[in-house]
Structures are given as C-alpha cells and as structure tokens.
Amino acid sequence: MLLKKLQLKTIDYRFGLTMCFLLFFNSVISAQEIIKDVVAEKPAEVPSTQKRKIDGIIATVGDYIVLDSDIDKGFLEISAQGGSVKDITRCQMLGKLLEDKLYAHQAVQDSIIVSDAEVRSMMEERLTYMTQQVGDINKVVAYYKKNSVEEFKTYFADILKEQKLASEMTKKIVDAVEITPEEVRNFFKKIPKDELPTFGAEMEVAQIVIEPKVSDADKQKVKDKLNAIRKDVLEGSSFATKAVLYSQDPGSSPNGGYYKMTRKTPFVKEFKDVAFSLQQGEISEPFETTFGFHIIMIDKIKGQEVELRHILISPTVSEDALKEAKEKITNIRSKIINKEISFADAARTESDEKETRANGGTLVNPTSQDTRFELTKMDPTLYSQVSNLKDDEISQPLLNTDDKGKKTYKLITVTNRIDAHTADYAKDYTKIKELALKEKQITAIAKWFDTKIKDTYIKIIGEYRDCTFTNNWLKK
C-alpha cells in the first residue's frame, strides 16, 4: 500500500502544482485586493449593515483575500483552455487559492523580493502571448472587463506579482529538501514486491555533431550590426525596443532582452564574465559565445545580482560552409562503418558538441539527468531520428536546426536498449531516488502548511466553512 499511498499523495501534490502552473501561464484568476497593514492580525469586524458592500469576500489569508468570483473564474478559464472541471469541486478550487495566498503571504514575511522590473518583463511576455492568441490587445482588455489597456495592466501586475511570490516560496521549500542514499534505500525496501513500479522501454543514445564554419567576413557583418545598434542606444534609442526587433534569443527578445542573474545562474562563462564586468547603465562591446555575438546593457546591480538586457545575433551560415560540414561528417561516418574508429572515439576527437564530446557522444536526458530515454516520453524529434535504427546502426548525416535557427549536421546511434521492466534498485537508482525525493518534498510541504497555517490569520466565511480541506484551514 505504500506505493499506492505515495501515488495518491503525488496526485494531490501534482494537482496543486498543475493548477499553480495553469494559473500562472494562462492568467486564470482575477486580481486580488491586498488588505493594507495587516500581518497575521484579525481585521476589524464589519458591521452587519455593511456586509453587502463587500459582497464576494469568502476568505482571508494573512494580507490577502479570496473572492467567490475567483472560484468561478478559475473554472471558466480551465474550461476555456480545454481542461475538464467535472471532477474539481468549489471546495477544491478554494483550497488551491488558499494555498497560493499563504505562499504569497509567507514570501513577503520571508523578505522574498519580486521587483517591478520582473513583473514588467513577465507582463510583456504574457501580453504578447495573449495578443497573439486573440489578435488584438483590446479583446484581452474586454475579456477581463476593464475599461482600458492601462487599467488592465495595473490589474494584471497584481496577479503576476502574487503568482511570482507564490512560485518563489514553493521553490524555496522544495529546494531545501535533500535526500541521502540511505533514505533512498529505505524508501525502496518499504515498497512491497507486488507493488514495485514498472518502467517503460528505454534507450541510450549517442551523437556526433559537426558545426558549419562561419567565415570571418560573416562574423564581421554581425559585429558591425551590433555596433550600429549600440551607437543608436548611446544616442538615445531604446535598448529594449532594439532587442525586440533584432535579437535572435527567443527566451528574452519578447521581453526586450531582459534577464536577471547571479554568478551561479547557468549562463555560459563568456556571457557572465562580460555581464559582471560592466557598471550600471554601461553597454558592452560585441562579444562572442557559442550562441553567436552579443551586446549587454546593465539595468540594475543589486549586491550579487544584476538585471540586464542583451541582444543576440548569430552569423548566417553560407551554403558552402554547410556543404563542407556535410562532407566532413559523411567521411567520419565512413570511417566508423569501416571500423577505422569507434563511434565513441570519433565523438571524442571530431564532434563539435562540448556537452557530449567527453562522454563519447552520449546524450543526457534533460528531465532525469541520466543517460536513459523512455520511449513514450522521448522528444518527438529525437524519437523520429532513432526509432528505426537497428543495434549499432549509424544514421545518415542529419541536418539539424535548433530553436535559435542554428544549423548543424549530426550522426546518431543507439548504444543500449532496456526493455520494460519492474523497478530494480541497482539499475534504476536514479528513478527510485526521484520518487523518494518527491515523497520527502510532499512531506516537507505538508509540514510547512501545518506550521504556517497555525501562525497566520486565516478566516473562511459562509458555506465554505463546511468544506473538507486537505489542509487544516479552519484550524479545528
């Protein structure tokens, strides 16, 4: 029963996380009013003659309130996104809203900062997405029953700030949870043999990547363009606008090139070296990384953290360079097939992909961080490239274009196949560790709620006091 209990707990936990992400990315709850200057204190009672004037308030959590209409809008938006609400009760929806309020309230108590710049960046990204969906920002404004774009932005900023506070608080709790090998072993031992999970068929994959060489002349064209942009900004143009117009970084260009980072943020070394060498307001000269050429402007420096904007432009690869790269990788393939060199040794000596070169080209699963890829969860593009390969077969040269438009040629092979099987501690340690860690995180979050609910002013009124909640919101 242990595994079944874990699965049930995981469902409850995943419901919370799924709802959290759904609310965040689809903006599905209305803006919340904040009760000023109230921290874990009981606000003054409202005379009964005035209660109709605050119609709709059904709960208070610390500094935040929940409106009855928030529940209705939650259901409406889930349906609008194609989700099913038939198994979600109003009490469950309220429970999730209460969780979000407590996360946000405690984030403020813990001095977690969400800057106005972060909120603006998030807002621009969300508004761009919503406008692309409906075709007109005014339709978005009308949907939320606001009178103007500016009124909507003010309203929307409160939503985003609260959601960001909640997500940062959740991350703080979960990131603090660690698990030892002994705990993993004990977790596995407690699972009855007839309840051990079954893992699907998996494979391990290796690849060799050859990048077309960019000419010095093409590189200089990009640097000249970035220098021209830099000059315009120094003369008064908006860096953010230039980033939207010209940057080829899909992760930041819609937000005007905005990033927030510390020295521990996983950016390439060259980028971080330049970012932390600049003063506030300063714009870098063009510099090169594996992604292309960049310029950076520093918006703010706050201790060990910087807020910056950047523009990325990658040189165009010529047809001659593509042809030369294909010829090179075709020659490598011939040597492997003719047994002149092994695939792994060819990857170590010839591949241009630093991340896999040292491991003989072996790919790491970004989800699990091990080398196995479960067939049913594999990236569709990768699956299409390997699904028809036989054991030890080397693919033909494949032209690959990544999400930034960068073109490379690659060879790919399947190095190991693992059939569907019942969990084995030695063979599946990484997956078992993930399950054990998840259980420990669920326990940590449950304990966090128990503690914070006791220490926070919470009030639920009306018919919702009859709800059966997972957490002890009523403090019974």
Side-chain angles (χ1 to χ4, degrees):
M1 292 299 295
L2 176 67
L3 185 61
K4 291 181 180 178
K5 289 179 181 177
L6 173 60
Q7 290 170 336
L8 289 174
K9 288 180 181 177
T10 303
I11 288 170
D12 289 339
Y13 179 62
R14 284 177 178 169
F15 171 77
L17 288 184
T18 300
M19 288 299 300
C20 183
F21 285 124
L22 186 62
L23 296 177
F24 181 75
F25 286 110
N26 296 295
S27 307
V28 303
I29 55 175
S30 66
Q32 305 299 315
E33 298 176 38
I34 297 179
I35 303 172
K36 301 296 184 182
D37 302 323
V38 178
V39 180
E41 295 179 5
K42 183 176 179 179
E45 290 290 340
V46 180
S48 59
T49 55
Q50 297 182 20
K51 284 185 179 179
R52 291 184 179 273
K53 295 181 180 180
I54 57 167
D55 180 43
I57 298 177
I58 59 173
T60 303
V61 179
D63 296 341
Y64 295 90
I65 64 172
V66 181
L67 307 178
D68 197 33
S69 59
D70 294 334
I71 296 178
D72 297 322
K73 290 178 181 178
F75 284 121
L76 177 64
E77 294 294 341
I78 292 173
S79 298
Q81 296 298 323
S84 173
V85 298
K86 67 177 182 178
D87 295 324
I88 304 175
T89 67
R90 294 183 71 81
C91 287
Q92 286 175 324
M93 183 68 76
L94 174 58
K96 183 62 187 73
L97 293 174
L98 293 172
E99 289 179 10
D100 290 341
K101 303 307 170 196
L102 185 56
Y103 279 135
H105 171 77
Q106 192 59 43
V108 174
Q109 308 311 305
D110 289 0
S111 301
I112 293 175
I113 304 298
V114 175
S115 69
D116 291 341
E118 285 181 272
V119 175
R120 285 195 301 271
S121 175
M122 291 159 59
M123 183 183 297
E124 290 305 317
E125 181 179 357
R126 293 300 304 133
L127 287 180
T128 298
Y129 172 78
M130 289 190 287
T131 304
Q132 288 173 346
Q133 297 301 304
V134 300
D136 185 354
I137 184 63
N138 292 312
K139 291 182 179 179
V140 177
V141 174
Y143 178 81
Y144 284 93
K145 298 180 181 179
K146 299 302 174 184
N147 296 319
S148 67
V149 173
E150 287 307 312
E151 181 184 350
F152 172 73
K153 285 186 175 181
T154 300
Y155 152 89
F156 197 37
D158 290 338
I159 298 174
L160 294 176
K161 185 168 186 177
E162 181 185 320
Q163 291 171 350
K164 182 64 173 175
L165 284 168
S167 66
E168 289 295 318
M169 190 68 245
T170 308
K171 184 176 184 296
K172 180 179 178 180
I173 299 166
V174 172
D175 286 354
V177 179
E178 297 179 345
I179 195 160
T180 66
E182 183 65 22
E183 288 175 312
V184 177
R185 187 180 299 108
N186 291 335
F187 168 82
F188 186 74
K189 286 179 178 179
K190 290 178 183 178
I191 304 175
K193 288 187 177 181
D194 60 348
E195 293 183 15
L196 288 170
T198 299
F199 297 127
E202 299 171 307
M203 61 173 58
E204 293 179 316
V205 180
Q207 67 182 24
I208 296 171
V209 178
I210 298 299
E211 297 180 6
K213 302 303 181 213
V214 179
S215 69
D216 290 339
D218 288 333
K219 289 183 179 182
Q220 189 59 49
K221 288 179 184 178
V222 171
K223 288 192 283 187
D224 290 344
K225 185 173 183 178
L226 286 171
N227 275 319
I229 293 172
R230 182 177 185 274
K231 182 173 181 291
D232 287 346
V233 174
L234 290 172
E235 292 176 353
S237 295
S238 165
F239 193 104
T241 300
K242 295 287 187 181
V244 172
L245 292 173
Y246 300 112
S247 182
Q248 295 173 354
D249 177 11
S252 68
S253 60
N255 305 323
Y258 176 85
Y259 279 123
K260 181 174 72 171
M261 60 183 287
T262 67
R263 290 189 181 276
K264 294 183 179 180
T265 305
F267 282 64
V268 293
K269 181 179 183 298
E270 298 90 343
F271 191 95
K272 288 197 286 189
D273 286 346
V274 173
F276 287 99
S277 70
L278 299 173
Q279 300 299 314
Q280 187 165 307
E282 191 176 359
I283 305 175
S284 73
E285 300 286 343
F287 65 95
E288 186 176 11
T289 71
T290 55
F291 299 101
F293 287 87
H294 312 250
I295 53 173
I296 292 175
M297 182 180 76
I298 302 299
D299 275 355
K300 290 183 181 179
I301 299 176
K302 297 187 293 185
Q304 299 301 310
E305 183 179 82
V306 297
E307 293 180 15
L308 59 84
R309 297 185 184 275
H310 93 117
I311 295 172
L312 165 68
I313 301 179
S314 299
T316 302
V317 176
S318 68
E319 289 300 321
D320 286 343
L322 279 171
K323 182 179 178 181
E324 184 179 335
K326 186 176 182 180
E327 290 175 351
K328 180 177 180 179
I329 204 164
T330 299
N331 184 49
I332 293 171
R333 182 177 186 274
S334 297
K335 290 182 178 180
I336 297 170
I337 290 174
N338 292 332
K339 309 297 184 185
E340 297 177 37
I341 190 172
S342 69
F343 191 100
D345 285 341
R348 293 186 185 97
T349 58
E350 303 290 345
S351 181
D352 291 325
E353 187 174 60
K354 294 180 181 178
E355 295 81 2
T356 61
R357 191 166 56 200
N359 296 324
T362 300
L363 292 177
V364 173
N365 188 330
T367 303
S368 62
Q369 296 303 310
D370 64 10
T371 58
R372 295 184 184 182
F373 291 82
E374 190 170 340
L375 270 58
T376 57
K377 299 177 182 178
M378 187 178 285
D379 176 79
T381 301
L382 179 60
Y383 180 78
S384 68
Q385 294 170 343
V386 301
S387 59
N388 294 322
L389 289 178
K390 299 175 182 177
D391 291 344
D392 299 322
E393 183 180 0
I394 313 298
S395 73
Q396 293 292 331
L398 300 168
L399 179 60
N400 186 69
T401 304
D402 66 15
D403 57 1
K404 297 180 178 62
K406 183 178 180 179
K407 293 182 177 180
T408 57
Y409 273 100
K410 69 178 182 180
L411 301 175
I412 196 162
T413 187
V414 177
T415 58
N416 189 24
R417 298 180 192 272
I418 302 98
D419 294 331
H421 62 283
T422 300
D424 178 276
Y425 182 77
K427 294 179 181 178
D428 302 304
Y429 178 81
T430 301
K431 290 184 176 61
I432 294 165
K433 178 182 178 181
E434 184 180 343
L435 290 173
L437 179 61
K438 182 66 67 179
E439 183 187 57
K440 193 172 180 181
Q441 289 172 338
I442 292 169
T443 301
I445 287 178
K447 288 181 179 178
W448 184 89
F449 272 114
D450 286 344
T451 301
K452 299 306 177 184
I453 285 173
K454 291 175 183 177
D455 297 339
T456 306
Y457 173 75
I458 297 168
K459 183 178 180 181
I460 299 172
I461 63 176
E463 63 190 55
Y464 293 101
R465 291 189 60 83
D466 296 328
C467 287
T468 300
F469 296 110
T470 301
N471 294 307
N472 186 25
W473 297 112
L474 298 171
K475 302 186 179 182
K476 292 181 177 179

